[in-house]
Every structure is written in C-alpha cells, then in structure tokens.
Amino acid sequence: MSHFPRPLARRTALGALFGGVALGAAGCVQGESSSGAAPSAGSGSGGDTVRLDYAYYNPLSLVVRQQRILEDAGLTVQWEQSLGSNKANEFLRNDNLDLASTAGAAVLQARSNGQAVQTVDVYSQPEWTALVVGAGSTVSDVAGLRGKRIAATTGTDPYFFLRQALDAAGLAASDVEIVNLQHPDGRAALERGDVDAWAGLDPNMAATQLDAGSRLLYRNVDFNTYGVLNAREEFIENSPELVQQVVDAYEQARAWALANPDELVALYAEQAQLDPEVASLVLTERTGLDIDPVPGAAQRTVLEGVIPLMAANGDVRSEEEALTALDGLFAPQFAEKAASA
C-alpha cells in the first residue's frame, strides 16, 4: 500500500474540468448517442456495424475512437459514452451496446446476477480509485470514517474498493452512510462538503486533488479490479469476427499508447477536457497499460477476494453463484489471438 504526499496546492482553475463535462453528460438522457439519437434496445448489429462505448476511465477506447481504427478497417461504429461501470453494464443488459468497458468487479456482479456477458480483453491495470477526503478534513484513516457519509457509485470498482477498505479497517457498511452518487456527482458533493469522503474515480479523482486540494485518505492498488472489455454472449456467438476486430483494435491502440506516452496524455486531456497535469497524473502514475491483455489468473485472483463482500452485502445472491459466474466470465481466445499477432 502506498500513500500520496500531503495535499497539493490549488492549481489554476481549469477552463472545463472533466467533472463539469461529465455532470453535463449526466444531465442528458442515458443512452443518448453522439448523434443525439437514443440507440434502440434490441436493435442488434448488422454484419459490418458494431456498437461500442468509450469512457474516460478507459484510455484505449479514446485512442480507438479518435484514430478511427475500426472505421478505417471498414466497420460502421456506433459510439456511446459510459459514465461508469454501472452504465456500461446497463447498456449491455438493455442491448444498447455490443461491447462495453467496466471494472472487473462490476462485470462479475452483473454476470452473477444473470447478465449474459463475458470479458474478452483486459485494457489496463489501474489504480483508478481510492478513498478521498476534502482539503480541510481531519480524518486520518479509514477507521475515522465511522458514522460518516461517504459517496460511492453502487456497482462500480470504487464502491467495491470502499467495501474492501472498510472491511480491512474492521468496519461494516452499516457503520457508515454510503450515499449512491454517480462519480462526477460524488466529487462535487465532496468539494461542497455534503459528504465526508468519496470513493473516487480518475480522472475526477486526480482533478479534485490538483484543483481543490482533496487528499487521498486510503490507497491500495490490489483492491482495484482491472479495466476490462466485455461483450454480450449473444454477440460473441453470432459475430465472433467483429469481437476479434474490436480486440485487435484495442491491441493496436495499446501499442500506439505505449510508444507515444506524451501524445496519449495530450489526446486524453483533449478528449476529456482535462488540464494536461491532471491527464499526466492519471496516465503516468496510476494507469498500467503494459500488461497481458488476456483475461485469466491475475483477474481471477483479485475477483475472488471481492466475492465474499459482494455476498455479505447482497450484491450477489451467494458466494457459490458468484464463483460459478467467475468460472465462465472469461473468453480469452480473442485477446490470445490478438496478442500472438
């Protein structure tokens, strides 16, 4: 476990921080496409069309989208922005998207509760979440959060990170008040003082550190459950060649990102409307892209540690069902083929 140094001084105000952008997006109808039209549930994809998400917590999705890797390969792509893992799972559940990106814990919860999805690629090993307190907070450790209000987005990695952090400190969820807010709203609530802590998510987490002097109270990279790309099982069965093209595009994006770190930071800052300093903190200090993209043992290990907490809180029906879901969660053949190529 590592810790950040003392809170950073407030930087020059950003012209348009990601938090403001995402708050505006959250005010739109969920599922609204970039063209302004809501994707129709159950529409499926044509033979040369694929429906994908992009997300600011998934930098490779931004590269694939900005560089038009799939479009240049002849595909028509319908892009949707996911504001969090819970929204990405919702898009998949409602057949609004064919593939979408989440944290590992979020897709495991979805599959455990009957959603027919599988993980086809691992796009990052991030330290994208931590417990955050405001600049003036006197709380010094997780135990000090007893009786406090903590913002978190239910069904996402920050939520499961919070649950694990509480458990490690000897606290139950009932010892605090968890306020279910979408990630940008949680950041705003923290900065207003409406909550005592926030289970943060980058880039909002980095932005509130640099701009508002917020402090990371608790960090543990082992409680972060990887960034994964998931597909509906029906789509995998009916269009495996399209799944392969998407995974291949992700691996092309990964190679470019690793070879061009400065350009990746600039692209990320532009796409998410972030100060370059925020983008650099997220990508260079808290995002691991040079990893094995094949879902397997590493992801299983971290997810096995989350399952007891999921079951104890009623997020899944039982540990047994969650373990069964985990047994069938990974579809590694696509990433294996992309990596070998």
Side-chain angles (χ1 to χ4, degrees), residues 84-149:
S85 295
N86 59 331
K87 295 302 180 183
N89 278 331
E90 182 180 314
F91 284 142
L92 291 173
R93 182 174 62 251
N94 295 335
D95 192 12
N96 296 133
L97 290 178
D98 301 312
L99 299 97
S101 45
T102 72
V107 70
L108 174 60
Q109 180 189 9
R111 183 175 175 87
S112 299
N113 291 324
Q115 192 168 333
V117 289
Q118 289 184 294
T119 294
V120 297
D121 187 69
V122 182
Y123 60 80
S124 72
Q125 183 180 17
E127 188 190 1
W128 53 18
T129 184
L131 297 188
V132 190
V133 293
S137 175
T138 59
V139 176
S140 60
D141 56 23
V142 178
L145 294 174
R146 183 184 295 272
K148 305 293 188 183
R149 289 166 54 87

Side-chain angles (χ1 to χ4, degrees), residues 4 55-63 123-128 202-203 206 210 256-258 260-272 274-290:
F4 261 68
Y56 298 142
Y57 54 82
N58 177 2
L60 294 187
S61 71
L62 304 182
V63 176
Y123 60 80
S124 72
Q125 183 180 17
E127 188 190 1
W128 53 18
D202 276 332
L210 296 176
W256 179 88
L258 292 172
N260 300 277
D262 293 340
E263 289 86 346
L264 178 64
V265 168
L267 184 155
Y268 187 49
E270 177 186 8
Q271 291 291 307
L274 292 169
D275 185 293
E277 188 177 14
V278 173
S280 180
L281 174 58
V282 172
L283 292 180
T284 64
E285 296 188 27
R286 298 207 286 248
T287 303
L289 297 177
D290 190 9

Side-chain angles (χ1 to χ4, degrees), residues 146-184:
R146 183 184 295 272
K148 305 293 188 183
R149 289 166 54 87
I150 307 172
T153 308
T154 303
T156 67
D157 225 30
Y159 170 76
F160 292 115
F161 182 94
L162 169 61
R163 294 294 316 283
Q164 292 178 90
L166 292 174
D167 183 69
L171 298 179
S174 58
D175 291 323
V176 300
E177 180 182 352
I178 299 177
V179 182
N180 184 21
L181 294 173
Q182 206 55 44
H183 302 302

Side-chain angles (χ1 to χ4, degrees), residues 223-243:
F223 286 174
N224 292 255
T225 64
Y226 288 86
V228 296
L229 182 67
N230 313 301
R232 294 184 299 107
E233 285 190 10
E234 181 183 11
F235 188 71
I236 293 174
E237 181 179 352
N238 294 337
S239 303
E241 71 288 347
L242 291 181
V243 177

